[in-house]
Amino acid sequence: MTRHIILDSETDFDGWRSAARALALHDIAPRDVVWRASGNEPDLFAPAAAVLPDGPHDLTFNVPAQFIELAQTAILHRDPERFALLYRLLWRLRMNHDLLDIATDPDVVRVTDMVRAVRRDEHKMHAFVRFREIGRERDTHFVAWFEPEHHIVELAAPFFMRRFADMNWSILTPYICAHWDGHRLSFTPGTGRDEAPTEDRLEDVWRSYYARIFNPARLKVKAMQTEMPKKYWRNLPEASLIKSLVANASRASREMIAAEATAPRKPQQREQPMARKSSSHDSLSSLREEAAGCRACHLWKDATQTVFGEGPAHVQVMLVGEQPGDKEDLAGKPFVGPAGQMLDRALKEAGIDRKKVYVTNAVKHFKFVPRGKIRLHQKPNTPEIRACRQWYERELATINPELVVAMGATAAQSVFGKITPINKTRGRLIDIGDGRKALVTVHPSYLLRLPDEDARAREYERFIDDLKTAATQLHRDKAA
Ligand code: URA
């Protein structure tokens, strides 16, 4: 007998999970189940939803946590077959707990591709939503129109909530709309494109910003179209400039070459391709690639390269420093110079394996003034920290750590989104939303600068104590 399962919505993971569990406990094979989301009934005479008897409560089964993570993301894919695919995987996992490790299994390949597509769509939404202003002063509201490929609006909305916390905004899409009023995130049914405003003064701001950051010498039309596919262009104010900027690019680059000779720039370090990439790793590497071309402030001009964060794609603890120094700028890796050595030593003493944490900086380009042969480090200012904050936020959303350790004032400013005195907050676990905590401590280079040996030893011990607090997070998870 065929069972018809009707979920409350396209993104009803909880509904899918409890139905799948009940079906599996009743030994109902995947081929005997038809899944769909409410509102997608094929016709008026579609069969009614199955009512499953209560499961045998004493029976249970476990699936790997990795499957739940995959399923939560894959269920956001547009493919109507996803519910059935996920149930088939669940069914098969009961027989083979290691099924997800078989990278060539067709169901595993398909679910992995789905997860990758959803993550990519989420990333595109983060990058290509453009708000337009409607109303004025106290009634100002920002509205954007976006057409996602998959059901990712609820997934992507918290990013905009954090990023534009002090604006009232709405993101309208054909499937669901997200709204933020400064306090609460809410969702309403999808709408038509005509609901979204088309022109406003922000358009000009976007256009002139884009024209400023457009670098004709680095123009790669194909890569540009992959990163910013044409289908997004009609909602992007800057898209109207692309044709003429591309057409003028070769003349502009000849002019650039004639205008000034600059020191050769080091090529961007690319990640080695891995045998089997996880989807979150994919999105971390696509973030890294995008950040490599960042022009959000002027610091890229003198730096060798963007120094992006480094570490596993999912960790419990993320360490944030200030900005790359001279050595990091050349190596393209964070914390490899003297401050990095100090950090490595302290991490070891605190019982933290650096390979198990993600290490990044609030500002991703080296800021310095040349003094003869050396490049003197300069502290980044607030506009530079703000311009770079998008990368920290996107790393945070991708890595999804439970604890962020802010080392020094610049890191604390980025983590809390405002100037945060270290002494008042140091060493305490502070809630920063999304179930995450932050811990503020000093920057390792502060220890290197202390002239007095006793003070240095004292401060080093305090730094280790702070890192030990972070270590409890790692070890607590291991124990749980
Ligand atoms: N100081 C930092 O804050 N970050 C680095 O990567 C190196 C030195």
Side-chain angles (χ1 to χ4, degrees), residues 321-325 328 333-336 339-340 361 443:
E322 179 190 272
Q323 59 157 343
E328 290 77 13
K333 288 169 176 290
F335 283 101
V336 292
N361 283 302
H443 192 280

Side-chain angles (χ1 to χ4, degrees), residues 89 137 155 159 189 206 272-273 300 349 375 412 414 417:
L89 273 166
E137 288 153 21
L155 177 72
F159 166 84
W206 268 112
Q272 293 300 312
W300 66 274
E349 280 195 53
R375 304 188 291 174
S414 190

Side-chain angles (χ1 to χ4, degrees), residues 386-405:
R386 278 210 195 118
C388 216
R389 190 160 185 256
Q390 56 163 320
W391 300 117
Y392 158 74
E393 285 178 342
R394 290 167 71 180
E395 286 177 292
L396 186 71
T398 310
I399 305 285
N400 199 16
E402 284 160 29
L403 176 69
V404 179
V405 180

